[in-house]
Amino acid sequence: MNGSSDLIARAGTVYLAGAGPGDPSLLTVRALRLLETASTILHDDLVSEEILALANPAAALTSVGKRCGKPRVTQPEIHAMMIAAARAGESVLRLKSGDPLVFGRAGEELEALRAAAVPVEIVPGITSAFSAAAALGTPLTDRAAASRLILATGHHSAAKTDATPIWSGSLPHDSTLALYMPGRHFRALADDLIASGIAADTPVAAISRVSTPHQQTHTTTLADLQDEHVGAAPVLLLIGHAIRIHP
């Protein structure tokens, strides 16, 4: 990066950018400059209104979000929209919640853009696990308790038929498991994890709406995790002995 001109969205280019978990102050400088200068913005449903308020006032904003497995705009339609806008000379910001390379379908979109010979750049964002850990004041790794960090999701492509269980096999004792989009059956999930060999007394933090004014946290153990104690979606689960909750 050589100067401020490098931060401006260029015509004919698609930017796959992360908006972070929701708090505008957690946007990267690069993502903010693209928001301010892109002429077409295709955003996920989970990108907050506070972040969208920072967009170029002249930009065309379109929500292409998918929630609860019921897409309003299909993935091929999103590909077509990005390609058409870039070929029309627009600067296109494909704005995703969190980081585009972590459960963000970036692989499918990169493949489509590269096949169409459309220039594309990736702009990282802060993923929810990092923001949640910071908000809770807990490490995700610890020299004494956890030398591994595992990111997993309970959400799968409709084409993937072996979508359950979310986790199988034992979790190494020195690991922290971050579960994105775990669904709403937390008690059943905890039972599955215990049955897979994870100790019932393993600490759990269930964080709802990470980094927003509506953030809620429920801390417990796998043995005591109950559906009714966890806040509204989206929810992130942090599981492992490195999780330390301070009052």
Side-chain angles (χ1 to χ4, degrees):
M1 187 177 300
N2 297 317
S4 58
S5 61
D6 294 320
L7 298 174
I8 296 173
R10 296 189 296 274
T13 297
V14 175
Y15 300 86
L16 301 185
D23 183 346
S25 71
L26 295 179
L27 279 169
T28 65
V29 172
R30 177 70 166 147
L32 176 60
R33 295 291 179 264
L34 292 171
L35 257 175
E36 294 171 333
T37 57
S39 60
T40 294
I41 299 173
L42 307 175
H43 64 86
D44 287 351
D45 269 352
L46 290 177
V47 175
S48 69
E49 293 182 2
E50 292 81 2
I51 288 176
L52 294 177
L54 301 172
N56 173 7
L61 275 69
T62 302
S63 172
V64 294
K66 307 174 185 63
R67 298 296 301 275
C68 301
K70 298 178 180 178
R72 293 197 304 264
V73 182
T74 66
Q75 194 64 43
E77 288 172 338
I78 294 173
H79 300 168
M81 293 167 72
M82 292 190 296
I83 293 168
R87 286 177 172 170
E90 303 290 336
S91 50
V92 183
L93 177 60
R94 176 71 178 95
L95 192 60
K96 296 169 174 288
S97 175
D99 183 280
L101 303 181
V102 179
F103 310 127
R105 304 191 187 206
E108 298 166 56
E109 297 182 5
L110 284 168
E111 183 177 0
L113 292 165
R114 288 167 176 162
V118 171
V120 56
E121 292 186 19
I122 299 171
V123 180
I126 294 177
T127 192
S128 293
F130 299 160
S131 179
L136 298 178
T138 181
L140 294 172
T141 61
D142 185 280
R143 287 198 299 168
S147 57
R148 313 178 214 203
L149 173 62
I150 301 171
L151 307 182
T153 179
H155 183 75
H156 302 277
S157 166
K160 188 175 181 181
T161 56
D162 58 343
T164 56
I166 291 176
W167 183 263
S168 61
S170 61
L171 179 73
H173 186 75
D174 62 341
S175 300
T176 299
L177 176 62
L179 273 179
Y180 292 67
M181 298 172 276
R184 295 299 307 176
H185 303 297
F186 300 103
R187 183 62 256 151
L189 171 61
D191 288 339
D192 285 345
L193 294 173
I194 293 170
S196 75
I198 302 177
D201 64 351
T202 302
V204 178
I207 309 97
S208 163
R209 300 181 179 181
V210 173
S211 90
T212 75
H214 308 291
Q215 176 174 302
Q216 295 181 32
T217 301
H218 173 56
T219 58
T220 182
T221 64
L222 280 179
D224 294 326
L225 182 63
Q226 300 296 335
D227 296 355
E228 61 270 24
H229 295 156
V230 179
V235 171
L236 172 78
L237 295 181
L238 298 177
I239 302 167
H241 291 281
I243 305 303
R244 302 170 186 162
I245 306 302
H246 302 279

